Amino acid sequence: MQIRCTQADHQNQQIIGFCIDSTCPNQRPYCHYCLPQHSQHLEKLTYFELFNEWIQKRIINAQNVQKNVQECKLSLDSLLNKLIPYLNFNIQQFSQIGISQIDNMIKGLCQLEGCEEILFKQLKQSIEQIKQSNQQYQSVDLKQSKIEQPQNQSTFKANSNQFTFQLMNQNSIRVDNCCFAFAFNKDQSIVLAGCKQHIKVFENQQGKLNQVQLLSKHTDDVHTLNFMKKTNNFVSGSSDNSIIIWQVIGNNQWNCQQILNGNSNSIDCLLINNTDDLIISGSYDKTIKFWIKYNQWICQQTISDLGFVYSLSLNEQQNKLISCSRDSQILIIEQSKLDKYWSVTQKIKVDVYGQRLCFINDNLFTFQPYCKDQMHIYELDINNKQYNKIKQIEVKFDSYICDCLFPQQYIKSKSILVNKTGKKVNLMRKKQNGDFIIQQCIQFGSYNIYGQLSDDGEYLITWDSGSKEIQIRRYKEQ
């Protein structure tokens, strides 16, 4: 999905999300240039992938109100049931039941009257508010934006076409030093490349890269690069054992905002959650660290006594983390709803350790054993809440050495998984039945291949030691 911003001077930038602040006077769909207009309510910015979740919350709220209305009706029914028997009460019966019973009956009816006054007053206020809200609801016209809901089958049909990533050979850039990490921002207008200890910043114009800045704060090789979701700030991890938060300062320029120290070895994998308030890093010091944002970023928690941590992946709900490490284990790590701390809930022992894994959805993830020609699929058992291996998928492979710095990546909008194995990059499509089929296998001259897909699956960027080029490939359906 490519929607462009129509705001003046926003250079036709891609829309990356929308604002859900009810008082916001500005255009709701926003691009990166729109962000200053929403600076007072950044927490109310979300992105299109979470649209259904946002609607679901509205439905749940309406259902809760509906439940409360039903409970009010039950209260009124109960009140009527108590009053109706007295409607035809014969006052001649007073002489038969005695003073004490009459006294108790009148006291009870007076107490009911007090309850009525409170209930009716609250209901009257609520009814007036509901009437006002209803008038507002009626004035909101969604007819012009009514969307015909696609059937699941048509979605899968659209994603069942053959595809290739075609090399844009004229846009290749010669770089003699190793480029271990890449990142695209949300609208693919900026590309980062970690070339040894330097970070090269490129503007991306339809696959043509133009360098606009060189950042040289790290003292050793840059291994991870990740853009934040709601801003153009980004995070880098390095074999100098540090993590740096980079802040955009305008005109596609960045500076160092904060350096995170705390690891004793190289940072080799790193994630940022969807709300940009959690960074998770994996290191060769055999730890996973959870960094949270207060005024500054701080380390909230460390999980240690692991093997070398090669890969991390968060599920769609952002409450489960999986990791794979040199100790031949896959860890399932879950976040507590109460204190927000993370704990290991499952350890999966594997025959061969792996360097890559990736959540496909909340119930499914993939795992690539080291130097093997099969990729494993794990699925959640809804009964015991444990993940079990359910199948193996054949992949192309031709080397007995591999490198961990090209993570598995799944693009949900296109049902595409990228999986590097040795000298090959397997580009696979997920079928409706859960199988994966290889639709393209790119052969390189070396196992030293590093790369990344853009978030929309339109571009694949790589560097390999055979060509010593940054190469851009573009998605094309056949």
Side-chain angles (χ1 to χ4, degrees), residues 66-77:
Q66 186 181 52
K67 182 180 178 182
N68 291 334
V69 170
Q70 290 169 346
E71 289 176 355
C72 287
K73 183 179 182 302
L74 291 175
S75 297
L76 291 171
D77 288 342

PDB file of all heavy atoms in Angstrom, residues 66-77:
ATOM      1  N   GLN A  66     -22.969  -1.464  26.173  1.00  0.00           N
ATOM      2  CA  GLN A  66     -24.187  -2.236  25.945  1.00  0.00           C
ATOM      3  C   GLN A  66     -24.486  -3.149  27.137  1.00  0.00           C
ATOM      4  O   GLN A  66     -25.638  -3.272  27.577  1.00  0.00           O
ATOM      5  CB  GLN A  66     -24.040  -3.060  24.664  1.00  0.00           C
ATOM      6  CG  GLN A  66     -25.297  -3.792  24.234  1.00  0.00           C
ATOM      7  CD  GLN A  66     -25.060  -4.595  22.966  1.00  0.00           C
ATOM      8  OE1 GLN A  66     -24.121  -5.385  22.898  1.00  0.00           O
ATOM      9  NE2 GLN A  66     -25.898  -4.385  21.966  1.00  0.00           N
ATOM     10  N   LYS A  67     -23.446  -3.748  27.689  1.00  0.00           N
ATOM     11  CA  LYS A  67     -23.604  -4.610  28.866  1.00  0.00           C
ATOM     12  C   LYS A  67     -24.106  -3.806  30.062  1.00  0.00           C
ATOM     13  O   LYS A  67     -24.984  -4.253  30.802  1.00  0.00           O
ATOM     14  CB  LYS A  67     -22.267  -5.271  29.190  1.00  0.00           C
ATOM     15  CG  LYS A  67     -22.319  -6.238  30.367  1.00  0.00           C
ATOM     16  CD  LYS A  67     -20.951  -6.839  30.627  1.00  0.00           C
ATOM     17  CE  LYS A  67     -20.982  -7.765  31.845  1.00  0.00           C
ATOM     18  NZ  LYS A  67     -19.631  -8.329  32.131  1.00  0.00           N
ATOM     19  N   ASN A  68     -23.549  -2.587  30.237  1.00  0.00           N
ATOM     20  CA  ASN A  68     -23.992  -1.741  31.341  1.00  0.00           C
ATOM     21  C   ASN A  68     -25.449  -1.322  31.178  1.00  0.00           C
ATOM     22  O   ASN A  68     -26.198  -1.240  32.155  1.00  0.00           O
ATOM     23  CB  ASN A  68     -23.105  -0.496  31.449  1.00  0.00           C
ATOM     24  CG  ASN A  68     -21.701  -0.830  31.912  1.00  0.00           C
ATOM     25  OD1 ASN A  68     -21.482  -1.829  32.588  1.00  0.00           O
ATOM     26  ND2 ASN A  68     -20.730  -0.005  31.533  1.00  0.00           N
ATOM     27  N   VAL A  69     -25.842  -1.042  29.915  1.00  0.00           N
ATOM     28  CA  VAL A  69     -27.233  -0.690  29.646  1.00  0.00           C
ATOM     29  C   VAL A  69     -28.158  -1.852  30.009  1.00  0.00           C
ATOM     30  O   VAL A  69     -29.229  -1.673  30.599  1.00  0.00           O
ATOM     31  CB  VAL A  69     -27.418  -0.279  28.175  1.00  0.00           C
ATOM     32  CG1 VAL A  69     -28.892  -0.153  27.818  1.00  0.00           C
ATOM     33  CG2 VAL A  69     -26.693   1.029  27.895  1.00  0.00           C
ATOM     34  N   GLN A  70     -27.730  -3.062  29.660  1.00  0.00           N
ATOM     35  CA  GLN A  70     -28.525  -4.243  29.993  1.00  0.00           C
ATOM     36  C   GLN A  70     -28.649  -4.418  31.505  1.00  0.00           C
ATOM     37  O   GLN A  70     -29.701  -4.798  32.017  1.00  0.00           O
ATOM     38  CB  GLN A  70     -27.894  -5.486  29.352  1.00  0.00           C
ATOM     39  CG  GLN A  70     -28.015  -5.518  27.833  1.00  0.00           C
ATOM     40  CD  GLN A  70     -27.169  -6.601  27.197  1.00  0.00           C
ATOM     41  OE1 GLN A  70     -26.287  -7.176  27.827  1.00  0.00           O
ATOM     42  NE2 GLN A  70     -27.430  -6.879  25.921  1.00  0.00           N
ATOM     43  N   GLU A  71     -27.556  -4.110  32.235  1.00  0.00           N
ATOM     44  CA  GLU A  71     -27.604  -4.197  33.696  1.00  0.00           C
ATOM     45  C   GLU A  71     -28.551  -3.147  34.270  1.00  0.00           C
ATOM     46  O   GLU A  71     -29.268  -3.405  35.237  1.00  0.00           O
ATOM     47  CB  GLU A  71     -26.199  -4.026  34.264  1.00  0.00           C
ATOM     48  CG  GLU A  71     -25.291  -5.216  33.992  1.00  0.00           C
ATOM     49  CD  GLU A  71     -23.860  -5.007  34.469  1.00  0.00           C
ATOM     50  OE1 GLU A  71     -23.567  -3.882  34.921  1.00  0.00           O
ATOM     51  OE2 GLU A  71     -23.069  -5.956  34.386  1.00  0.00           O
ATOM     52  N   CYS A  72     -28.595  -1.924  33.659  1.00  0.00           N
ATOM     53  CA  CYS A  72     -29.548  -0.899  34.079  1.00  0.00           C
ATOM     54  C   CYS A  72     -30.979  -1.380  33.866  1.00  0.00           C
ATOM     55  O   CYS A  72     -31.862  -1.148  34.707  1.00  0.00           O
ATOM     56  CB  CYS A  72     -29.314   0.392  33.305  1.00  0.00           C
ATOM     57  SG  CYS A  72     -27.839   1.291  33.804  1.00  0.00           S
ATOM     58  N   LYS A  73     -31.204  -2.035  32.731  1.00  0.00           N
ATOM     59  CA  LYS A  73     -32.549  -2.553  32.459  1.00  0.00           C
ATOM     60  C   LYS A  73     -32.952  -3.583  33.504  1.00  0.00           C
ATOM     61  O   LYS A  73     -34.099  -3.608  33.978  1.00  0.00           O
ATOM     62  CB  LYS A  73     -32.598  -3.163  31.067  1.00  0.00           C
ATOM     63  CG  LYS A  73     -33.985  -3.664  30.649  1.00  0.00           C
ATOM     64  CD  LYS A  73     -33.983  -4.229  29.254  1.00  0.00           C
ATOM     65  CE  LYS A  73     -35.393  -4.678  28.829  1.00  0.00           C
ATOM     66  NZ  LYS A  73     -35.958  -5.679  29.735  1.00  0.00           N
ATOM     67  N   LEU A  74     -32.008  -4.427  33.900  1.00  0.00           N
ATOM     68  CA  LEU A  74     -32.304  -5.423  34.938  1.00  0.00           C
ATOM     69  C   LEU A  74     -32.647  -4.739  36.258  1.00  0.00           C
ATOM     70  O   LEU A  74     -33.542  -5.182  36.990  1.00  0.00           O
ATOM     71  CB  LEU A  74     -31.099  -6.358  35.115  1.00  0.00           C
ATOM     72  CG  LEU A  74     -30.803  -7.324  33.956  1.00  0.00           C
ATOM     73  CD1 LEU A  74     -29.513  -8.092  34.218  1.00  0.00           C
ATOM     74  CD2 LEU A  74     -31.957  -8.308  33.776  1.00  0.00           C
ATOM     75  N   SER A  75     -31.926  -3.643  36.576  1.00  0.00           N
ATOM     76  CA  SER A  75     -32.220  -2.899  37.808  1.00  0.00           C
ATOM     77  C   SER A  75     -33.622  -2.304  37.763  1.00  0.00           C
ATOM     78  O   SER A  75     -34.366  -2.342  38.748  1.00  0.00           O
ATOM     79  CB  SER A  75     -31.180  -1.783  38.010  1.00  0.00           C
ATOM     80  OG  SER A  75     -29.897  -2.324  38.189  1.00  0.00           O
ATOM     81  N   LEU A  76     -33.991  -1.733  36.603  1.00  0.00           N
ATOM     82  CA  LEU A  76     -35.327  -1.162  36.466  1.00  0.00           C
ATOM     83  C   LEU A  76     -36.398  -2.238  36.534  1.00  0.00           C
ATOM     84  O   LEU A  76     -37.467  -2.038  37.136  1.00  0.00           O
ATOM     85  CB  LEU A  76     -35.422  -0.389  35.148  1.00  0.00           C
ATOM     86  CG  LEU A  76     -34.597   0.905  35.068  1.00  0.00           C
ATOM     87  CD1 LEU A  76     -34.597   1.446  33.647  1.00  0.00           C
ATOM     88  CD2 LEU A  76     -35.138   1.946  36.036  1.00  0.00           C
ATOM     89  N   ASP A  77     -36.132  -3.378  35.909  1.00  0.00           N
ATOM     90  CA  ASP A  77     -37.083  -4.496  35.980  1.00  0.00           C
ATOM     91  C   ASP A  77     -37.283  -4.937  37.422  1.00  0.00           C
ATOM     92  O   ASP A  77     -38.413  -5.216  37.862  1.00  0.00           O
ATOM     93  CB  ASP A  77     -36.587  -5.669  35.139  1.00  0.00           C
ATOM     94  CG  ASP A  77     -36.695  -5.392  33.641  1.00  0.00           C
ATOM     95  OD1 ASP A  77     -37.449  -4.463  33.270  1.00  0.00           O
ATOM     96  OD2 ASP A  77     -36.030  -6.100  32.866  1.00  0.00           O
TER      97      ASP A  77
END
